[in-house]
Amino acid sequence: MASSSSSPTEENDTTEVLRLVISSTISLLTQFESSLSSSAPAEPAPSLSNSSEILSSPALLRTAPTLIRAHTTKLSLLLITPPFTPSAIVTVLRELSTGPLPVLMSATELLCNAPNVWSRTFGGEVKRATLRLCRELQGLFGAIQPPGVEEEEKGKKGKKRDGREEGEEGDAAAQPNLTATGVVWEACDALILLEKQGVAGVVAGKAQEYHDLIEDAISELREWMRESDEDDEDEDEVHDDASAADEFEQLFQPSEQKLPKDNEQLNAQLEATLKRLTLVKMLYKALIKRRLKGFPVPGQDGLGDKDDAIRRIDGVRRLDEVMQDLKDVQEDTDGLADAFYSLDGERVAACLDECLGKARHAAVSMRRSWSGEEDEFGSWLEKWIDMIDDKK
Protein backbone atom coordinates (compact mmCIF):
# COMPACT_ATOMS: atom_id res chain seq x y z
CA MET A 1 0.00 0.00 0.00
CA ALA A 2 1.38 3.39 -0.93
CA SER A 3 2.18 5.78 1.89
CA SER A 4 -0.08 8.85 2.20
CA SER A 5 2.69 10.99 3.71
CA SER A 6 4.65 13.43 1.56
CA SER A 7 8.10 12.43 0.38
CA PRO A 8 11.13 14.41 1.60
CA THR A 9 11.48 15.91 -1.88
CA GLU A 10 7.88 17.17 -1.88
CA GLU A 11 8.30 18.63 1.61
CA ASN A 12 11.49 20.41 0.54
CA ASP A 13 9.74 21.81 -2.55
CA THR A 14 6.83 23.08 -0.44
CA THR A 15 9.20 24.63 2.07
CA GLU A 16 11.09 26.41 -0.69
CA VAL A 17 7.83 27.75 -2.13
CA LEU A 18 6.93 29.05 1.32
CA ARG A 19 10.26 30.83 1.64
CA LEU A 20 9.79 32.44 -1.78
CA VAL A 21 6.22 33.53 -1.03
CA ILE A 22 7.27 35.03 2.31
CA SER A 23 10.06 36.91 0.55
CA SER A 24 7.83 38.15 -2.26
CA THR A 25 5.10 39.26 0.16
CA ILE A 26 7.59 41.22 2.26
CA SER A 27 9.00 42.75 -0.94
CA LEU A 28 5.49 43.81 -1.95
CA LEU A 29 4.99 45.50 1.41
CA THR A 30 8.38 47.19 1.10
CA GLN A 31 7.34 48.58 -2.29
CA PHE A 32 4.09 49.84 -0.80
CA GLU A 33 5.98 51.47 2.05
CA SER A 34 8.49 53.08 -0.29
CA SER A 35 5.70 54.45 -2.47
CA LEU A 36 3.82 55.89 0.51
CA SER A 37 6.97 57.34 2.06
CA SER A 38 7.87 59.16 -1.15
CA SER A 39 8.19 62.90 -0.69
CA ALA A 40 6.86 63.53 -4.20
CA PRO A 41 3.85 65.88 -4.26
CA ALA A 42 0.40 64.40 -4.63
CA GLU A 43 -0.87 63.97 -8.15
CA PRO A 44 -3.77 66.19 -9.20
CA ALA A 45 -7.17 64.68 -8.49
CA PRO A 46 -9.23 63.55 -11.47
CA SER A 47 -12.16 65.66 -12.62
CA LEU A 48 -14.72 66.11 -9.87
CA SER A 49 -17.48 65.31 -12.32
CA ASN A 50 -16.13 61.76 -12.62
CA SER A 51 -15.02 61.03 -9.06
CA SER A 52 -17.13 58.07 -7.93
CA GLU A 53 -13.97 56.02 -7.40
CA ILE A 54 -12.51 58.74 -5.17
CA LEU A 55 -15.74 59.12 -3.21
CA SER A 56 -15.98 55.38 -2.53
CA SER A 57 -12.32 54.94 -1.55
CA PRO A 58 -12.78 55.47 2.23
CA ALA A 59 -15.08 52.42 2.37
CA LEU A 60 -12.04 50.34 1.38
CA LEU A 61 -10.35 51.51 4.59
CA ARG A 62 -12.89 49.33 6.34
CA THR A 63 -13.15 46.34 4.00
CA ALA A 64 -9.43 45.86 3.23
CA PRO A 65 -8.18 46.00 6.87
CA THR A 66 -11.07 43.75 7.93
CA LEU A 67 -9.91 41.12 5.41
CA ILE A 68 -6.27 41.59 6.42
CA ARG A 69 -7.26 41.07 10.04
CA ALA A 70 -9.11 37.85 9.17
CA HIS A 71 -6.20 36.50 7.12
CA THR A 72 -3.61 37.26 9.80
CA THR A 73 -5.83 35.53 12.36
CA LYS A 74 -5.94 32.45 10.15
CA LEU A 75 -2.18 32.69 9.62
CA SER A 76 -1.51 32.93 13.35
CA LEU A 77 -3.60 29.84 14.03
CA LEU A 78 -1.69 27.91 11.35
CA LEU A 79 1.63 28.94 12.87
CA ILE A 80 0.83 27.90 16.44
CA THR A 81 -1.18 24.76 15.71
CA PRO A 82 0.81 21.61 14.81
CA PRO A 83 1.55 20.13 12.39
CA PHE A 84 3.23 22.98 10.50
CA THR A 85 1.58 23.14 7.06
CA PRO A 86 3.58 25.26 4.56
CA SER A 87 1.01 24.85 1.78
CA ALA A 88 -1.79 26.35 3.91
CA ILE A 89 0.40 29.28 4.90
CA VAL A 90 1.34 29.85 1.25
CA THR A 91 -2.35 30.00 0.37
CA VAL A 92 -3.05 32.67 3.02
CA LEU A 93 -0.07 34.80 1.98
CA ARG A 94 -1.01 34.63 -1.70
CA GLU A 95 -4.59 35.63 -0.92
CA LEU A 96 -3.28 38.63 1.00
CA SER A 97 -0.88 39.64 -1.77
CA THR A 98 -3.49 39.48 -4.51
CA GLY A 99 -6.50 40.76 -2.56
CA PRO A 100 -6.73 43.13 0.42
CA LEU A 101 -3.13 44.44 0.32
CA PRO A 102 -3.33 45.92 -3.22
CA VAL A 103 -6.86 47.16 -2.48
CA LEU A 104 -5.66 49.01 0.62
CA MET A 105 -2.77 50.51 -1.29
CA SER A 106 -5.06 51.72 -4.07
CA ALA A 107 -7.47 53.27 -1.56
CA THR A 108 -4.65 55.04 0.27
CA GLU A 109 -3.23 56.44 -2.96
CA LEU A 110 -6.67 57.66 -4.08
CA LEU A 111 -7.23 59.44 -0.77
CA CYS A 112 -3.76 60.98 -0.62
CA ASN A 113 -3.83 62.05 -4.26
CA ALA A 114 -7.19 63.82 -3.93
CA PRO A 115 -6.43 66.48 -1.29
CA ASN A 116 -9.04 68.82 -2.76
CA VAL A 117 -11.72 66.24 -1.87
CA TRP A 118 -10.51 64.56 1.33
CA SER A 119 -8.05 67.19 2.63
CA ARG A 120 -4.35 66.81 3.27
CA THR A 121 -5.06 66.33 6.96
CA PHE A 122 -7.22 63.23 6.46
CA GLY A 123 -4.95 61.89 3.71
CA GLY A 124 -1.93 62.29 5.97
CA GLU A 125 -3.56 60.32 8.78
CA VAL A 126 -4.53 57.54 6.35
CA LYS A 127 -0.97 57.41 5.00
CA ARG A 128 0.53 57.14 8.50
CA ALA A 129 -1.90 54.40 9.49
CA THR A 130 -1.26 52.42 6.28
CA LEU A 131 2.51 52.74 6.72
CA ARG A 132 2.20 51.41 10.23
CA LEU A 133 0.19 48.40 9.03
CA CYS A 134 2.74 47.65 6.29
CA ARG A 135 5.57 47.64 8.84
CA GLU A 136 3.70 45.46 11.31
CA LEU A 137 2.84 42.95 8.58
CA GLN A 138 6.49 42.78 7.56
CA GLY A 139 7.36 41.98 11.16
CA LEU A 140 4.76 39.22 11.32
CA PHE A 141 5.73 37.62 8.01
CA GLY A 142 9.43 37.93 8.75
CA ALA A 143 8.95 35.93 11.96
CA ILE A 144 7.54 32.89 10.13
CA GLN A 145 9.93 29.96 10.57
CA PRO A 146 9.64 27.38 7.74
CA PRO A 147 10.40 23.70 8.53
CA GLY A 148 14.09 23.10 9.11
CA VAL A 149 14.53 25.29 12.11
CA GLU A 150 11.87 23.26 13.91
CA GLU A 151 13.57 20.02 12.87
CA GLU A 152 16.78 21.13 14.52
CA GLU A 153 14.89 21.94 17.70
CA LYS A 154 13.39 18.44 17.83
CA GLY A 155 16.87 17.06 18.39
CA LYS A 156 17.03 18.95 21.64
CA LYS A 157 14.13 17.11 23.28
CA GLY A 158 14.31 16.83 27.00
CA LYS A 159 16.99 19.53 27.26
CA LYS A 160 16.54 22.81 29.04
CA ARG A 161 16.78 25.91 26.87
CA ASP A 162 16.51 29.46 28.16
CA GLY A 163 15.36 28.03 31.48
CA ARG A 164 12.38 26.12 29.97
CA GLU A 165 11.64 22.41 29.84
CA GLU A 166 10.57 20.61 26.66
CA GLY A 167 6.86 20.88 27.42
CA GLU A 168 7.09 24.63 27.64
CA GLU A 169 8.60 25.12 24.17
CA GLY A 170 5.30 25.20 22.26
CA ASP A 171 3.83 27.99 24.37
CA ALA A 172 7.05 29.99 24.23
CA ALA A 173 7.30 29.66 20.44
CA ALA A 174 3.71 30.81 20.04
CA GLN A 175 4.20 34.04 21.98
CA PRO A 176 6.07 36.03 19.26
CA ASN A 177 3.44 35.13 16.64
CA LEU A 178 0.55 36.03 18.95
CA THR A 179 2.19 39.32 19.89
CA ALA A 180 2.91 40.24 16.26
CA THR A 181 -0.64 39.31 15.28
CA GLY A 182 -2.07 41.48 18.04
CA VAL A 183 -0.05 44.47 16.81
CA VAL A 184 -1.32 43.90 13.26
CA TRP A 185 -4.89 43.83 14.58
CA GLU A 186 -4.33 47.20 16.28
CA ALA A 187 -3.01 48.68 13.03
CA CYS A 188 -6.04 47.33 11.13
CA ASP A 189 -8.42 48.72 13.74
CA ALA A 190 -6.76 52.15 13.45
CA LEU A 191 -7.55 52.26 9.72
CA ILE A 192 -11.11 51.06 10.28
CA LEU A 193 -11.56 53.83 12.87
CA LEU A 194 -10.40 56.46 10.37
CA GLU A 195 -13.10 55.35 7.95
CA LYS A 196 -15.69 55.45 10.73
CA GLN A 197 -14.67 58.93 11.89
CA GLY A 198 -14.46 60.43 8.42
CA VAL A 199 -12.82 63.77 7.69
CA ALA A 200 -14.81 65.67 10.33
CA GLY A 201 -14.06 63.19 13.10
CA VAL A 202 -10.36 63.00 12.27
CA VAL A 203 -9.77 66.77 12.13
CA ALA A 204 -11.82 67.32 15.29
CA GLY A 205 -9.73 64.67 17.05
CA LYS A 206 -6.46 66.27 15.92
CA ALA A 207 -7.65 69.70 17.06
CA GLN A 208 -8.60 68.22 20.44
CA GLU A 209 -5.08 66.83 20.78
CA TYR A 210 -3.63 70.30 20.12
CA HIS A 211 -6.09 71.81 22.61
CA ASP A 212 -5.04 69.35 25.31
CA LEU A 213 -1.34 70.10 24.75
CA ILE A 214 -2.00 73.83 25.07
CA GLU A 215 -3.94 73.16 28.25
CA ASP A 216 -0.96 71.21 29.59
CA ALA A 217 1.36 74.13 28.76
CA ILE A 218 -0.93 76.57 30.61
CA SER A 219 -1.03 74.29 33.66
CA GLU A 220 2.74 73.94 33.67
CA LEU A 221 3.26 77.70 33.46
CA ARG A 222 0.84 78.25 36.34
CA GLU A 223 2.59 75.57 38.38
CA TRP A 224 5.95 77.16 37.59
CA MET A 225 4.64 80.53 38.81
CA ARG A 226 3.25 78.95 41.99
CA GLU A 227 6.45 77.03 42.73
CA SER A 228 8.51 80.15 42.19
CA ASP A 229 6.38 81.95 44.78
CA GLU A 230 6.84 79.12 47.27
CA ASP A 231 10.58 78.90 46.60
CA ASP A 232 11.02 82.61 47.27
CA GLU A 233 9.25 82.29 50.63
CA ASP A 234 11.41 79.35 51.70
CA GLU A 235 14.66 80.53 50.13
CA ASP A 236 16.38 81.52 53.37
CA GLU A 237 15.51 78.25 55.13
CA VAL A 238 16.63 76.15 52.17
CA HIS A 239 19.91 78.06 51.97
CA ASP A 240 20.65 77.54 55.68
CA ASP A 241 19.92 73.81 55.57
CA ALA A 242 21.68 73.13 52.26
CA SER A 243 24.22 70.33 52.25
CA ALA A 244 26.71 68.93 49.77
CA ALA A 245 24.27 66.12 49.02
CA ASP A 246 21.52 68.65 48.21
CA GLU A 247 23.80 70.56 45.85
CA PHE A 248 24.79 67.33 44.12
CA GLU A 249 21.11 66.38 43.67
CA GLN A 250 20.36 69.76 42.11
CA LEU A 251 22.70 68.91 39.24
CA PHE A 252 20.09 66.44 38.02
CA GLN A 253 17.09 68.78 38.32
CA PRO A 254 15.49 70.40 35.24
CA SER A 255 17.42 73.39 33.88
CA GLU A 256 14.45 75.78 33.99
CA GLN A 257 15.00 78.82 36.19
CA LYS A 258 12.72 80.24 38.86
CA LEU A 259 10.52 83.18 38.02
CA PRO A 260 12.20 86.16 39.76
CA LYS A 261 9.62 88.17 41.68
CA ASP A 262 11.62 91.35 41.20
CA ASN A 263 11.33 91.10 37.41
CA GLU A 264 8.08 93.02 37.08
CA GLN A 265 8.11 92.93 33.28
CA LEU A 266 8.41 89.14 33.04
CA ASN A 267 5.74 88.66 35.73
CA ALA A 268 3.41 90.97 33.83
CA GLN A 269 4.14 89.07 30.62
CA LEU A 270 3.31 85.78 32.30
CA GLU A 271 -0.03 87.02 33.60
CA ALA A 272 -0.97 88.49 30.22
CA THR A 273 0.15 85.33 28.42
CA LEU A 274 -1.92 83.05 30.62
CA LYS A 275 -5.01 85.18 29.92
CA ARG A 276 -4.47 85.08 26.18
CA LEU A 277 -3.65 81.39 26.08
CA THR A 278 -6.90 80.77 27.91
CA LEU A 279 -8.67 82.62 25.10
CA VAL A 280 -6.78 80.51 22.56
CA LYS A 281 -7.89 77.35 24.34
CA MET A 282 -11.46 78.65 24.19
CA LEU A 283 -11.09 79.15 20.43
CA TYR A 284 -10.07 75.53 19.92
CA LYS A 285 -13.13 74.26 21.77
CA ALA A 286 -15.42 76.53 19.77
CA LEU A 287 -13.91 75.64 16.39
CA ILE A 288 -14.13 71.93 17.15
CA LYS A 289 -17.81 72.16 18.06
CA ARG A 290 -19.06 74.73 15.56
CA ARG A 291 -16.88 74.14 12.49
CA LEU A 292 -14.70 71.03 12.41
CA LYS A 293 -17.34 68.51 13.54
CA GLY A 294 -19.72 69.96 10.96
CA PHE A 295 -17.41 69.58 7.98
CA PRO A 296 -19.60 68.25 5.12
CA VAL A 297 -19.21 64.67 3.95
CA PRO A 298 -17.92 64.33 0.36
CA GLY A 299 -20.60 63.01 -1.95
CA GLN A 300 -23.41 64.38 0.21
CA ASP A 301 -22.96 68.08 -0.54
CA GLY A 302 -23.81 68.47 -4.21
CA LEU A 303 -20.38 67.44 -5.44
CA GLY A 304 -21.76 66.75 -8.90
CA ASP A 305 -22.73 70.38 -9.40
CA LYS A 306 -19.88 72.55 -10.67
CA ASP A 307 -20.55 75.51 -8.37
CA ASP A 308 -20.91 73.26 -5.33
CA ALA A 309 -17.71 71.43 -6.27
CA ILE A 310 -15.84 74.74 -6.40
CA ARG A 311 -17.18 75.65 -2.96
CA ARG A 312 -16.11 72.26 -1.64
CA ILE A 313 -12.56 72.76 -2.95
CA ASP A 314 -12.49 76.13 -1.21
CA GLY A 315 -13.84 74.53 1.97
CA VAL A 316 -11.17 71.82 1.94
CA ARG A 317 -8.49 74.46 1.39
CA ARG A 318 -9.79 76.39 4.39
CA LEU A 319 -9.89 73.20 6.45
CA ASP A 320 -6.25 72.38 5.73
CA GLU A 321 -5.23 75.97 6.44
CA VAL A 322 -6.99 76.13 9.80
CA MET A 323 -5.60 72.73 10.82
CA GLN A 324 -2.09 73.94 10.00
CA ASP A 325 -2.74 77.09 12.05
CA LEU A 326 -3.98 75.07 15.01
CA LYS A 327 -0.93 72.82 14.84
CA ASP A 328 1.45 75.80 14.59
CA VAL A 329 -0.20 77.59 17.53
CA GLN A 330 0.29 74.51 19.71
CA GLU A 331 3.95 74.26 18.72
CA ASP A 332 4.42 78.00 19.31
CA THR A 333 2.96 77.54 22.78
CA ASP A 334 5.76 75.10 23.59
CA GLY A 335 8.31 77.65 22.38
CA LEU A 336 6.60 80.32 24.46
CA ALA A 337 6.86 78.21 27.60
CA ASP A 338 10.53 77.54 26.91
CA ALA A 339 11.15 81.29 26.55
CA PHE A 340 9.62 81.88 29.99
CA TYR A 341 11.71 79.13 31.58
CA SER A 342 14.79 80.78 30.06
CA LEU A 343 13.68 84.16 31.52
CA ASP A 344 13.99 85.67 28.04
CA GLY A 345 11.44 88.49 27.93
CA GLU A 346 12.21 89.50 24.34
CA ARG A 347 11.71 85.97 23.06
CA VAL A 348 8.52 85.69 25.11
CA ALA A 349 7.11 88.76 23.37
CA ALA A 350 8.09 87.49 19.92
CA CYS A 351 6.71 83.98 20.54
CA LEU A 352 3.45 85.35 21.93
CA ASP A 353 2.93 87.66 18.95
CA GLU A 354 3.53 84.79 16.54
CA CYS A 355 1.26 82.45 18.48
CA LEU A 356 -1.60 84.94 18.70
CA GLY A 357 -1.17 85.96 15.07
CA LYS A 358 -1.72 82.39 13.90
CA ALA A 359 -4.65 81.89 16.28
CA ARG A 360 -6.19 85.10 14.92
CA HIS A 361 -5.68 83.88 11.35
CA ALA A 362 -7.46 80.64 12.23
CA ALA A 363 -10.40 82.58 13.62
CA VAL A 364 -10.61 84.88 10.60
CA SER A 365 -10.56 81.94 8.18
CA MET A 366 -13.50 80.31 9.96
CA ARG A 367 -15.80 83.36 10.13
CA ARG A 368 -17.97 81.95 7.34
CA SER A 369 -19.61 78.54 7.27
CA TRP A 370 -18.35 75.76 5.00
CA SER A 371 -20.91 76.84 2.42
CA GLY A 372 -19.50 80.38 2.55
CA GLU A 373 -22.41 81.94 4.41
CA GLU A 374 -22.39 84.24 7.43
CA ASP A 375 -23.79 82.74 10.63
CA GLU A 376 -24.06 83.28 14.38
CA PHE A 377 -20.72 81.61 15.07
CA GLY A 378 -19.02 84.05 12.71
CA SER A 379 -20.25 86.88 14.93
CA TRP A 380 -18.86 85.09 17.98
CA LEU A 381 -15.48 84.82 16.24
CA GLU A 382 -15.52 88.56 15.56
CA LYS A 383 -15.92 89.19 19.28
CA TRP A 384 -13.13 86.71 20.04
CA ILE A 385 -10.83 88.54 17.63
CA ASP A 386 -11.61 91.85 19.39
CA MET A 387 -10.73 90.23 22.73
CA ILE A 388 -7.44 88.79 21.47
CA ASP A 389 -6.51 92.17 19.92
CA ASP A 390 -7.19 93.98 23.20
CA LYS A 391 -3.77 94.62 24.75
CA LYS A 392 -5.17 95.47 28.17
Side-chain angles (χ1 to χ4, degrees), residues 80-365:
I80 66 176
T81 306
F84 190 92
T85 50
S87 59
I89 295 173
V90 165
T91 299
V92 174
L93 291 176
R94 283 176 171 167
E95 289 175 351
L96 274 168
S97 299
T98 58
L101 286 179
V103 168
L104 176 61
M105 190 60 188
S106 296
T108 302
E109 289 180 340
L110 281 170
L111 287 165
C112 293
N113 292 336
N116 61 342
V117 176
W118 295 107
S119 81
R120 294 187 183 278
T121 305
F122 185 72
E125 291 299 305
V126 171
K127 177 189 286 189
R128 278 186 284 274
T130 303
L131 278 170
R132 177 191 173 194
L133 179 55
C134 286
R135 290 166 185 153
E136 302 303 350
L137 285 171
Q138 289 180 63
L140 174 63
F141 300 155
I144 297 175
Q145 295 288 343
V149 176
E150 277 88 356
E151 293 300 322
E152 295 177 5
E153 298 302 331
K154 289 180 181 178
K156 300 179 181 179
K157 274 191 176 182
K159 296 182 181 180
K160 288 185 177 181
R161 187 179 64 181
D162 298 333
R164 296 188 297 270
E165 299 288 351
E166 176 196 352
E168 298 173 339
E169 293 298 330
D171 292 340
Q175 286 304 314
N177 288 324
L178 292 175
T179 301
T181 302
V183 175
V184 169
W185 285 355
E186 291 178 1
C188 289
D189 291 343
L191 276 165
I192 294 171
L193 179 61
L194 287 177
E195 186 274 337
K196 181 179 180 181
Q197 291 177 324
V199 177
V202 168
V203 296
K206 294 296 292 183
Q208 185 64 48
E209 290 176 15
Y210 301 147
H211 166 276
D212 293 345
L213 290 171
I214 292 174
E215 191 170 45
D216 290 343
I218 293 173
S219 298
E220 290 173 4
L221 283 172
R222 284 178 174 155
E223 180 68 14
W224 178 63
M225 181 170 61
R226 184 186 65 79
E227 289 178 351
S228 296
D229 290 338
E230 293 177 353
D231 288 344
D232 284 342
E233 293 174 2
D234 300 335
E235 184 176 357
D236 293 336
E237 295 179 24
V238 172
H239 184 271
D240 294 339
D241 296 338
S243 64
D246 294 331
E247 294 178 1
F248 179 77
E249 185 177 352
Q250 290 175 4
L251 295 174
F252 298 95
Q253 297 301 316
S255 59
E256 67 185 38
Q257 304 181 59
K258 294 189 300 181
L259 175 64
K261 302 310 292 182
D262 59 347
N263 190 330
E264 295 182 1
Q265 179 182 357
L266 195 62
N267 278 272
Q269 282 181 307
L270 180 55
E271 290 183 8
T273 296
L274 289 174
K275 290 179 181 178
R276 278 167 169 71
L277 287 183
T278 300
L279 288 174
V280 170
K281 188 178 70 169
M282 184 189 305
L283 174 66
Y284 276 69
K285 278 292 187 184
L287 288 178
I288 291 170
K289 181 178 180 180
R290 300 297 298 272
R291 284 290 186 260
L292 300 182
K293 287 186 175 180
F295 188 77
V297 178
Q300 299 179 13
D301 53 359
L303 189 62
D305 180 87
K306 183 177 179 180
D307 291 337
D308 287 342
I310 292 173
R311 280 198 293 271
R312 155 157 281 282
I313 292 174
D314 181 65
V316 172
R317 177 191 59 76
R318 291 169 57 205
L319 177 66
D320 281 328
E321 284 184 1
V322 75
M323 290 304 297
Q324 186 62 52
D325 283 337
L326 297 180
K327 180 176 183 291
D328 291 344
V329 169
Q330 183 274 310
E331 292 175 350
D332 289 343
T333 302
D334 287 342
L336 182 58
D338 182 67
F340 271 113
Y341 299 147
S342 301
L343 308 183
D344 189 340
E346 289 186 6
R347 188 154 73 94
V348 165
C351 288
L352 182 59
D353 285 345
E354 187 171 1
C355 178
L356 296 181
K358 291 174 182 176
R360 190 183 191 284
H361 184 269
V364 170
S365 69

